[in-house]
Amino acid sequence: MTEHDQEHGAAGDFDSTGAPDPVGALDLPLARKTLDAQPFSRLVRAEVTAFGDGAATLEIPVRDELRQQNGFVHGGVLAYAADNSITFAAGTVLGAAVLTSGFTIQYVRPAAGARLVARATVAEATRRQAVVRCDLFAVADDGTESLCALAQGTVRATSA
C-alpha cells in the first residue's frame, strides 16, 4: 500500500498467475505486515488496529522522541499518521497498489496524551481513486479522546 509495495509487491498481493489479488483479499494481517515493512512506521511504533470496509485506524504510542519542544506530539507525526491511515483506508476499496496523491491537514489543538489514534474513512471512491477523511485523536491514560487534527486526502490506484 506504499510506493514500494506497488513496485515490488508485498507478500500476498499477487495470485499464482502474477495478477493482483482482488480487493477482498486484503485483510488486517496483511495491512499489519505492510505497515511493518516501512522502516519509519517501525521507528514511530505505528500499528494498524482496524482495517476493512472503507476504513482504517492507525495508532501510535506517544513517547518523548515524538514530541516537539513544548511537549506536544510533533505535527510531522500527526501528518504521518494521517497520510498512512488515509492510504490504508483507500486500500480497502482500491486494492494494495495505491499511492497518496495529496492530502491536507488542519491542526485543531495540540496533541497531548498517551496514544495518537488516526481513524480514516473513505468518503467517495471510483475504481481508480478515493477521497478519504481522517480524524486524529490524542488519547489520555484514562481513555479520554481529544480531537487534535482533521485531514483529507486523495489516493489513486496504480497499475502493478
Side-chain angles (χ1 to χ4, degrees):
M1 293 196 238
T2 65
E3 184 173 3
H4 179 267
D5 297 331
Q6 181 267 324
E7 291 175 358
H8 303 287
D13 286 351
F14 300 93
D15 67 17
S16 61
T17 68
D21 278 346
V23 173
L26 300 174
D27 58 13
L28 183 58
L30 178 58
R32 287 179 170 158
K33 185 174 182 175
T34 300
L35 186 69
D36 192 51
Q38 299 174 6
F40 188 76
S41 293
R42 288 193 312 270
L43 179 70
V44 299
R45 300 182 190 156
E47 179 185 3
V48 177
T49 57
F51 179 84
D53 298 325
T57 301
L58 189 80
E59 297 190 31
I60 300 171
V62 174
R63 57 188 206 279
D64 285 342
E65 296 86 357
L66 304 180
R67 298 179 195 277
Q68 42 87 298
Q69 72 279 3
N70 296 313
F72 303 115
V73 178
H74 192 282
V77 176
L78 275 81
Y80 155 81
D83 180 23
N84 250 11
S85 63
I86 284 168
T87 305
F88 273 85
T92 70
V93 298
L94 297 176
V98 296
L99 292 171
T100 301
S101 59
F103 79 98
T104 60
I105 187 166
Q106 300 299 314
Y107 299 101
V108 177
R109 68 180 47 85
R115 293 186 76 70
L116 179 66
V117 176
R119 292 188 188 104
T121 55
V122 174
E124 188 67 37
T126 65
R127 291 182 311 145
R128 305 263 318 136
Q129 175 176 289
V131 176
V132 184
R133 288 187 291 243
C134 179
D135 295 333
L136 293 107
F137 298 90
V139 182
D141 286 326
D142 68 2
T144 304
E145 295 185 349
S146 297
L147 182 68
C148 55
L150 301 164
Q152 180 173 298
T154 302
V155 179
R156 297 195 179 178
T158 61
S159 49

